[in-house]
Amino acid sequence: MVKRFDENATVLEAEATGMYEVLQWVCGLGVSQVVVKSDSLVVVDALNKNRKYVSKLRVLVAWACLRSTVYGPPKPDADMINLIHHAVLNGITFFDTFDVYGPRTNEILLSKALKDGVRDKVELATKFGISWNGQIRVRGDPEYVRSACEASLKRLRLDCIDLYYQHRVDTRVPIEVTMGEMKKLVEEVVQKNNLFNRVNEIALKKGCTPSQLALAWVHYQGKDVCPIPGTTKIENLNQNIGALHVKLTTEEMAELESIADSVKGDRYSSQTSTYLNSDTPPLSSWNAK
C-alpha cells in the first residue's frame, strides 16, 4: 500500500490492491463516511485523531465496487458486498454512487449489499446528469431528471434516496428548470410519507398491517372487484388471508378514498400495450379460413 500526504492541501491519499488491507487502515483513522466512485471507495470528511494535520481524507481502494473496465476488471459481487458490509461494521455510514457507474450496475450491487437491515444504518446518495443510451449526453431536462430518478430507485430497490443531486449541468436547459423538477420530486416524497403515515395510523387503530388495510379497501370496492396479491412467503400469504377479516366503516372508507385519490395514476407507461390502447380491426374485416 502506498500512502501520500500533502500538507498544503491537507489531503491524505492511499492506493492499494488489497481491499481489506486499506479499508482496515481507513477504519483505524476513524473515518465516518465513504463514497462509491468509479472502481473505488472514496472516503471523505474523516473524523480522526490527527484532524489538525488532515482536514480531508481521500482513500482510493482499487476495484472496490463498480462494474467498469477503467480501473481493471470488476470483482465478483460477493467480494464487493463483503467489502461494503465490512465498511458499515466499521462505522462508515455514507455511500455515494451514480447511475452511470457500470453503467447502472453499481446501484444494483448496492441494493444487494444493503439488504437485511443494512440500509437503515447508512445514508445513500446517487446522482444524474449523463444519459447513457448508446450515446453519452449531458441532460437536465425535467423528463430526464424524473426518469433517471425513477430508474435509480428501481435499481436500488428503494422508495426514497437520501441525497439525489445533479452530477453534470446541461447548459441547454435553464438551471431553474432542472432544480424545479428536483423540487417536485422532493415534494412528492414528502406527500408520500404523509400519506403513508396516515395509512399506518388507520391500520394501527384497526389492529392490522398497512398491507391488510389496503387489501381490505380493495375488497370493499364491490363484489365485481377482486385483489390478486402475490407472495413467496407463507407468513405473507397468511397476512393476505387475514385481510378478509378487516371490517371498514363508511367513515374509514371515505378517508381511505381521499388518500387513494391523491396517489392514483396510470399503472403502465404510454409505451406499454394494454387494453386501453389496443384497438382491434372490425369484425367485418375478418376472413375465417
Side-chain angles (χ1 to χ4, degrees):
M1 180 166 57
V2 180
K3 302 178 184 178
R4 293 191 299 274
F5 178 57
D6 182 342
E7 292 187 6
N8 295 325
T10 62
V11 172
L12 179 64
E13 181 176 308
E15 297 180 353
T17 55
M19 293 175 292
Y20 286 104
E21 177 190 6
V22 74
L23 193 57
Q24 288 170 352
W25 172 69
V26 169
C27 294
L29 292 176
V31 172
S32 63
Q33 296 184 336
V34 64
V35 177
V36 181
K37 183 178 182 181
S38 300
D39 267 345
S40 309
L41 288 182
V42 180
V43 183
V44 297
D45 295 336
L47 300 176
N48 58 73
K49 297 179 181 179
N50 298 321
R51 192 175 183 84
K52 63 180 179 179
Y53 302 109
V54 184
S55 62
K56 179 180 286 188
L57 179 66
R58 186 169 184 262
V59 180
L60 301 182
V61 187
W63 309 315
C65 280
L66 296 213
R67 292 300 180 266
S68 170
T69 58
V70 176
Y71 295 94
K75 296 292 185 178
D77 277 5
D79 290 353
M80 300 301 96
I81 291 171
N82 286 337
L83 178 61
I84 293 171
H85 287 174
H86 186 78
V88 175
L89 287 173
N90 283 275
I92 293 173
T93 60
F94 180 74
F95 288 82
D96 184 294
T97 184
F98 188 13
D99 60 2
V100 166
Y101 296 160
R104 306 183 182 92
T105 54
N106 185 239
E107 290 181 331
I108 297 173
L109 173 67
L110 283 173
S111 75
K112 297 175 182 177
L114 299 180
K115 287 181 177 179
D116 302 324
V118 179
R119 172 68 179 94
D120 297 332
K121 301 176 182 178
V122 303
E123 300 295 324
L124 185 63
T126 191
K127 42 199 175 288
F128 69 94
I130 299 178
S131 175
W132 192 289
N133 292 316
Q135 179 182 5
I136 299 177
R137 292 177 56 201
V138 174
R139 291 184 60 182
D141 55 281
E143 181 182 3
Y144 169 74
V145 173
R146 179 170 293 274
S147 63
C149 182
E150 291 174 349
S152 287
L153 285 169
K154 184 176 181 180
R155 286 188 291 269
L156 290 165
R157 298 182 182 179
L158 297 176
D159 296 322
C160 177
I161 298 168
D162 298 312
L163 175 61
Y164 191 62
Y165 62 101
Q166 187 175 17
H167 193 56
R168 293 289 185 272
V169 176
D170 188 345
T171 57
R172 301 166 301 171
V173 179
I175 192 64
E176 294 84 355
V177 173
T178 303
M179 295 298 107
E181 190 63 23
M182 295 181 69
K183 180 182 178 182
K184 290 180 182 179
L185 291 172
V186 173
E187 291 171 344
E188 290 170 10
V189 169
V190 173
Q191 180 190 36
K192 182 179 180 180
N193 287 339
N194 290 336
L195 295 175
F196 183 73
N197 290 336
R198 286 175 62 189
V199 171
N200 271 343
E201 290 175 3
I202 299 173
L204 185 62
K205 291 178 182 178
K206 301 297 295 182
C208 65
T209 66
S211 59
Q212 287 177 320
L213 182 65
L215 287 174
W217 172 76
V218 176
H219 278 295
Y220 272 73
Q221 297 303 308
K223 294 182 178 181
D224 58 336
V225 177
C226 179
I228 49 173
T231 183
T232 59
K233 297 180 175 65
I234 292 178
E235 59 182 306
N236 292 342
L237 175 60
N238 289 337
Q239 279 195 11
N240 292 343
I241 296 172
L244 294 170
H245 303 293
V246 178
K247 306 301 180 184
L248 298 175
T249 65
T250 302
E251 292 76 16
E252 290 167 341
M253 280 296 296
E255 184 173 5
L256 290 173
E257 290 290 347
S258 68
I259 295 174
D261 285 340
S262 62
V263 296
K264 67 182 180 182
D266 293 333
R267 178 182 179 186
Y268 300 106
S269 67
S270 58
Q271 289 76 29
T272 304
S273 176
T274 71
Y275 74 94
L276 294 173
N277 58 6
S278 298
D279 292 331
T280 64
L283 179 59
S284 60
S285 67
W286 181 252
N287 294 318
K289 294 183 180 179

